[in-house]
């Protein structure tokens, strides 16, 4: 089921074949005003997209994944025809992002979340879906999550390491890192920082409107009534909608992980991220 590219295993659905898609991503024609929302899945991708889009368009409104553009999922040749400033998503790890971005063109917002909540969110998301073809246990899914066979060829640990190294070894790339936990604790301040990074010319009143438009309740309600929903997910989700907005809290891992599972994650951090300091917030 895995597709190999540059020695790594990708576990994803693309329009064409994985090799062609990833080559297209690497050579993607990046514009200087492009904004890339690069996230490890389940870290708050949709939340941040709903913050970024009003900041670059100047208008408040809900955006669903239906009308978004994702590097690894979509036919990028169509992206050339978009005239407006583009917000482009990606779950790819640093080595696979467009060469143009590494060269300093465009801006990246890198979204991360503590690995325990990220794992729980992913597991809940995945096990709620139909026909995923996965019949394993939560333990099995955790082993998968800890391995570099995971999804886009990177465990959470590899993902954060590669992005951290990418940022520190490459002075040209323009990256602003956003933590899910900081959004939870201080949404308005984080929106102000994102706005400053993007160079958005918006006033405080607008920033406050963005803040209230992206509350968990508002996004969840908008998602559940979104008329833009197609039947794209009908085989995967009972009501045809991706179960994106679940609990939206920090620390749900305490309700879901066993002590042994939580310790496996702690050990992975100690072993694989030795020498790195991240201010991980678990509650
Ligand atoms: P949970 O499953 O823990 O609830 P992504 O968009 O990357 O798939 O991330 C989905 C996670 O972000 C889900 O986490 C979802 O509930 C959470 N989320 C989305 N919008 C949020 C918001 N406004 N406030 C808090 N959490 C939010």
């Amino acid at each position: 089921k895995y597709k190999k590219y540059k020695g790594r295993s990708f576990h994803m659905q693309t329009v064409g074949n994985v090799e062609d898609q990833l080559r297209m991503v690497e050579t993607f024609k990046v514009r200087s005003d492009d904004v890339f929302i690069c996230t490890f899945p389940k870290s708050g991708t949709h939340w941040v997209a709903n913050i970024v889009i009003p900041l670059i368009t100047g208008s408040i409104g809900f955006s669903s994944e239906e009308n978004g553009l994702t590097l690894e999922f979509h036919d990028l040749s169509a992206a050339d025809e978009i005239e407006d400033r583009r917000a482009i998503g990606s779950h790819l790890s640093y080595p696979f992002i467009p060469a143009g971005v590494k060269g300093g063109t465009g801006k990246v917002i890198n979204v991360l979340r503590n690995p325990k909540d990220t794992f729980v969110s992913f597991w809940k998301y995945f096990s709620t879906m139909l026909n995923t073809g996965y019949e394993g246990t939560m333990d099995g899914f955790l082993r998968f999550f800890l391995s570099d066979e995971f999804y886009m060829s990177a465990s959470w640990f590899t993902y954060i390491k590669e992005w951290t190294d990418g940022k520190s070894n490459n002075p040209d790339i323009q990256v602003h890192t956003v933590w899910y936990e900081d959004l939870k604790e201080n949404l308005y301040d984080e929106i102000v920082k994102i706005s400053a990074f993007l160079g958005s010319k918006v006033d405080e009143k607008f920033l406050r409107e963005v803040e209230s438009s992206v509350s968990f309740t508002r996004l969840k309600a908008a998602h559940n009534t979104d008329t833009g929903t197609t039947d794209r997910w009908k085989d995967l989700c009972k009501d045809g909608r991706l179960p994106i907005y679940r609990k939206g809290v920090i620390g749900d891992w305490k309700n879901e992980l066993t002590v042994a599972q939580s310790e496996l994650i702690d050990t992975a951090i100690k072993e694989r991220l030795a020498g790195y300091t991240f201010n991980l917030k678990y509650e």
Side-chain angles (χ1 to χ4, degrees), residues 105-129:
T105 311
K107 291 183 176 173
V108 177
I109 299 183
N110 191 205
V111 187
L112 294 162
R113 182 181 192 182
N114 85 57
K116 296 182 187 181
D117 283 327
T118 303
F119 169 72
V120 168
S121 179
F122 215 127
W123 166 244
K124 291 281 170 186
Y125 179 71
F126 198 73
S127 50
T128 312
M129 289 201 199

Side-chain angles (χ1 to χ4, degrees), residues 257-264:
L257 297 185
T258 62
V259 172
Q261 287 169 334
S262 165
E263 283 175 0
L264 272 178

Side-chain angles (χ1 to χ4, degrees), residues 39-47 91 113 117 121 180 184 214-216 219 244-249:
T39 72
F40 191 85
K42 311 321 292 172
S43 304
T45 316
H46 295 79
W47 195 3
H91 294 311
R113 182 181 192 182
D117 283 327
S121 179
Y180 178 94
K184 280 292 294 184
V214 300
S215 71
F216 181 77
L219 290 183
I244 305 285
Y245 302 93
R246 190 184 60 95
K247 274 197 173 176
V249 299

